[in-house]
Amino acid sequence: MSSLLRKLPAVEHVLQHAEIEVLLSQLPRDVVLEQVRQTIQEWRRMLLENQLPFPDYEKCTEVVSRLAEQVKEKLLPNTRPRLRRVINATGVVLHTNLGRAVLAPTAIEAVITAASGYTNLELDLATGKRGSRYAHVENLLTLITGAEAAMVVNNNAAAVLLCLSTLAKGKEVIVSRGQLVEIGGSFRIPEVMEQSGAFLVEVGATNKTYLRDYERAITPETALLLQVHTSNYRIVGFTRETPLAELVELGQRAGLPVMCDLGSGFLVDMRNLGLPYEPSVPEVVRTGADIVTFSGDKLLGGPQAGIIVGKRVYIEKMRQNPLTRALRIDKMTVAALEATLREYLPGDKNLLSIPTYRMLAMSREEHKHKARELAGLLEEAAGGRAEIEMLEGNSAVGGGAMPTADLPATLIGVKPNNMSVSELATNLRQGEPAVMGRLQDDRLLFDVRTLLKGEEILLAAALAAALTRREAGRGCTI
Ligand SMILES: *Cc1c(COP(=O)(O)O)cnc(C)c1O
């Protein structure tokens, strides 16, 4: 035993190893030192418990190298950027885990400009006086949506929180039981309501809510009628929700504002893309909703933001709310949002330059054509190590939007011969760049809808690499 323990190197000795010296040039010394200490301690504990740190430990003459290697393995992830590029081959256009919308080239350029120099973020260049960061997008939003006023916060969850806190703190808000949604990541209407200090009054049933249900629930304590878009689910069958127009009429009669949380709001009619009918933001504004909130990075195709449009009196009140300062957007968001919104202006309307829109607009033929091309590349990359086939299926809008939308797609199935499908998926996920596909049955599915220009080649190269089995840990000199 003592001879085994004696083989353990001293900390100083390990620190002089070439691999560790490389780590010392990339990470704080204390961090490396601590990891070396911990690894030696762990090996000592194993030896005392009659286990060997690795099988050939007794005979190995390069214990230091093995130890250094283990330290390196532990610390290596810290030396590389964690936020990395991922090739989205899932066909889910607005994939929240993959960062939702990809920005349009004009938006990317605007972000670079804003980030790399000074801007008039809060300066009115006309008067030389202090300006508002929201001014850069307010005008555009009112032009495009037809609303009287607009403002923007960090995300739509923040927008809902701010609206409820401003308009209904300490008061009651009436919501249909069919609309008490949860949007992944703990955004739940009842909980946001609680945070805002407003009291939730549920009316109707899960499947049916009538105007008279809202009407009966109105008391002197009522501050707001709220309609929430059931973004990520549908109640089908024997159902009824009260149309917004009826709620607006009731609100006017009772002197109460009506708010609409649209979730993934969009600015143009999406039916021409073959998507199911849902009212666009301008339509909801025309119907008479007093406040409308929606996300910047869902179907709009811009940066993460929560957009609030509506009647000036309410928007003014929100600006005065101290929460607004805590939820404010940064200059890069202002830049990206302004550029994205400009793409929607009738004059220079160029929606196909917005990747989200372009992906959704991809025709059946174009999709099939691209899938064929990719299948050819993958076939070549696999070199007989996997079966490649084409199958009919669907892409998804994602981002909790239009869960029942039918986006027909030609998918490419990959079935490896030399490893399991989940092993292949893991290798692709851990590769550089990482690749995400869809695991289904015993195949990995790739969808070209969400691939960006030039990614087909990268995907093929990634597949070739992923089909090559990783070698298990290096041996040692005995
Ligand atoms: C997505 C969504 C939200 C949250 O929006 P974020 O921009 O992700 O914060 C809120 N309400 C509805 C109905 C949604 O669909």
Side-chain angles (χ1 to χ4, degrees), residues 92-143:
V92 181
V93 178
L94 298 166
H95 200 303
T96 299
N97 298 159
L98 303 184
R100 290 197 188 153
V102 175
L103 295 180
T106 51
I108 294 167
E109 220 168 281
V111 171
I112 293 172
T113 304
S116 49
Y118 296 105
T119 60
N120 60 332
L121 182 67
E122 290 194 348
L123 174 71
D124 184 339
L125 288 173
T127 62
K129 296 219 171 75
R130 180 170 180 166
S132 151
R133 65 180 58 214
Y134 305 108
H136 306 286
V137 288
E138 246 175 68
N139 205 22
L140 275 170
L141 280 167
T142 56
L143 280 175

Side-chain angles (χ1 to χ4, degrees), residues 24-155:
L24 283 170
S25 69
Q26 296 171 321
L27 294 169
R29 188 180 166 82
D30 287 355
V31 173
V32 180
L33 193 64
E34 182 54 29
Q35 190 59 51
V36 169
R37 282 213 182 101
Q38 268 183 29
T39 310
I40 295 176
Q41 232 171 47
E42 170 67 10
W43 283 22
R44 179 186 309 280
R45 188 190 57 77
M46 290 174 84
L47 291 170
L48 290 174
E49 287 173 6
N50 284 324
Q51 301 167 45
L52 296 177
F54 55 91
D56 307 326
Y57 179 82
E58 277 169 285
K59 287 175 270 167
C60 188
T61 55
E62 283 188 22
V63 171
V64 185
S65 294
R66 291 301 301 260
L67 205 137
E69 203 176 296
Q70 234 185 58
V71 170
K72 183 179 155 192
E73 223 163 83
K74 275 262 163 53
L75 292 180
L76 206 58
N78 298 322
T79 65
R80 298 196 295 170
R82 252 194 74 97
L83 185 64
R84 273 182 273 165
R85 175 171 180 183
V86 175
I87 293 180
N88 177 9
T90 63
V92 181
V93 178
L94 298 166
H95 200 303
T96 299
N97 298 159
L98 303 184
R100 290 197 188 153
V102 175
L103 295 180
T106 51
I108 294 167
E109 220 168 281
V111 171
I112 293 172
T113 304
S116 49
Y118 296 105
T119 60
N120 60 332
L121 182 67
E122 290 194 348
L123 174 71
D124 184 339
L125 288 173
T127 62
K129 296 219 171 75
R130 180 170 180 166
S132 151
R133 65 180 58 214
Y134 305 108
H136 306 286
V137 288
E138 246 175 68
N139 205 22
L140 275 170
L141 280 167
T142 56
L143 280 175
I144 296 166
T145 65
E148 279 177 22
M151 74 168 286
V152 181
V153 288
N154 194 37
N155 57 19

Side-chain angles (χ1 to χ4, degrees), residues 96 100 154-160 179 181-184 187 189 192 227-232 261-265 293-298 303-307 399-401:
T96 299
R100 290 197 188 153
N154 194 37
N155 57 19
N156 188 35
V160 174
Q179 298 173 359
V181 309
E182 170 176 318
I183 316 290
F187 177 93
I189 287 296
V192 174
Q227 190 181 65
V228 184
H229 191 284
T230 57
S231 309
N232 49 8
D261 171 17
L262 278 182
S264 186
T293 69
F294 55 102
S295 287
D297 57 354
K298 289 188 181 171
Q304 178 189 304
I307 300 169

Side-chain angles (χ1 to χ4, degrees), residues 282-341:
E283 262 184 278
V284 172
V285 169
R286 268 200 303 278
T287 306
D290 297 281
I291 309 285
V292 184
T293 69
F294 55 102
S295 287
D297 57 354
K298 289 188 181 171
L299 281 168
L300 183 74
Q304 178 189 304
I307 300 169
I308 309 172
V309 300
K311 302 268 160 71
R312 190 178 309 281
V313 275
Y314 303 119
I315 303 277
E316 271 312 320
K317 275 193 193 157
M318 288 179 209
R319 289 211 182 97
Q320 310 300 325
N321 190 328
L323 257 184
T324 297
R325 177 62 174 76
L327 304 175
R328 84 174 184 188
I329 50 172
D330 77 315
K331 60 185 176 183
M332 289 184 278
T333 305
V334 173
L337 188 58
E338 180 183 11
T340 306
L341 289 171

